[in-house]
Amino acid sequence: PTITVTSPQDGGQYERYTDLYAGFTCADNPGGVGMASCTGSVPDGEWIDTGTPGTFTLTVQAIDWAGNVTTRAVTYEVLAE
């Protein structure tokens, strides 16, 4: 499977209290058997807490019906004021 993360950006820096939402999609490879699951440490479309400064990671795991697993992690930073 392949994973595309659109938000947050890998290596992105965000001001505290920025409206930031998780955005990702998963797809099976061409000719594959289809996706069984696509889950993130924050669900797709959900708000990411930006109230605390620091470095954080959003992790997404994709599993197709053949049992193939792909994991993608993006790291982003919430800046101190």
Side-chain angles (χ1 to χ4, degrees):
T2 59
I3 300 169
T4 302
V5 178
T6 57
S7 178
Q9 296 295 314
D10 195 24
Q13 294 182 323
Y14 301 92
E15 298 292 328
R16 283 183 75 186
Y17 307 112
T18 296
D19 286 338
L20 183 63
Y21 295 85
F24 57 87
T25 58
C26 301
D28 201 6
N29 297 325
V33 294
M35 295 304 304
S37 68
C38 179
T39 55
S41 53
V42 175
D44 181 48
E46 293 293 317
W47 179 72
I48 294 173
D49 181 5
T50 58
T52 304
T55 301
F56 303 94
T57 302
L58 172 72
T59 303
V60 180
Q61 184 178 67
I63 304 173
D64 68 14
W65 286 110
N68 300 305
V69 178
T70 300
T71 303
R72 173 129 191 257
V74 296
T75 302
Y76 61 95
E77 181 180 5
V78 177
L79 302 172
E81 295 181 284

